Every structure is written in C-alpha cells, then in structure tokens.
Amino acid sequence: MRYLPQPATGDIEFVAVMHALSDQVRLRLLDRLSDDQEHACAAAAEGIEVHKSTMSHHFRVLRESGLISTRQDGRNRFVSLRRDDLNTRFPGVLDAALSAASALPQGV
C-alpha cells in the first residue's frame, strides 16, 4: 500500500485548486467524495460518462491540486477528500465548490 504524491497542506496553491474546480466532471467527483469516506476510483466515477483515461486525468488533476488523496493497494486505487487540509488552507472554498457541485444537472 502506498500513497501517490500530493502537495503538503502548506503547499496547496489557490490557483491549482481553482483550476481543478473549473471542470464539471471534477466537481461531480468531489460531490461523491463529500461524505469524507474513502472510495474506490471506479465506484466514485460510476455513472459519469467519460473514457477511463479521461477519468484518470481528472483524478490526477484533483490529486495534484491537493483536493484529494489517492492510496494505491495493488492494482486498486482509493480516493478521499482532503477536507481538513483544504479548510485549513482556504476556509470556505471547498464548501462553496460542493454547493455548486450539488446544483449540477444529472448526467455530467
């Protein structure tokens, strides 16, 4: 088991977070992770109609921006929201993003 590289809390950049939040697919993924539980990548992406490689890209953008943490166990990857880190770094930004995500139309 190992964690994929991600920025430390103090290294999370506002511009990177805003870039990651600028896509509806990534917002939908964050909404699914908002229960603060760890999810298998496949389960988190279920029902979002994008190609598997595109979904991998979206998970990478979220991880590299500091929004999620990714744990690899064998061939499986598990993701979780870094709520505490984000609230420490940029209070209120994550709550605003999750509010916007919950208002997205279905099928995105």
Side-chain angles (χ1 to χ4, degrees):
M1 176 178 71
R2 69 181 177 102
Y3 283 88
L4 299 183
Q6 64 188 17
T9 303
D11 294 334
I12 297 173
E13 297 178 1
F14 186 74
V15 172
V17 170
M18 291 296 103
H19 168 72
L21 296 174
S22 69
D23 185 273
Q24 290 187 0
V25 171
R26 293 191 289 264
L27 279 176
R28 178 74 66 214
L29 288 169
L30 284 182
D31 187 49
R32 293 181 178 186
L33 298 175
S34 65
D35 64 359
D36 296 321
Q37 301 297 311
E38 187 175 66
H39 297 265
C41 285
E46 190 174 319
I48 300 175
E49 300 299 322
V50 298
H51 195 272
K52 185 177 179 181
S53 63
T54 303
M55 189 59 69
S56 293
H57 165 76
H58 288 302
F59 280 121
R60 182 180 55 81
V61 169
L62 290 169
R63 178 178 49 82
E64 290 178 351
S65 69
L67 286 162
I68 66 170
S69 179
T70 305
R71 179 177 65 87
Q72 185 168 346
D73 190 5
R75 294 179 55 190
N76 299 309
R77 289 187 178 188
F78 301 91
V79 293
S80 57
L81 190 60
R82 294 178 63 186
R83 184 184 299 272
D84 292 339
D85 293 339
L86 289 160
N87 286 336
T88 297
R89 191 79 171 113
F90 307 111
V93 169
L94 184 59
D95 291 335
L98 292 172
S99 178
S102 66
L104 286 173
Q106 294 298 321
V108 173

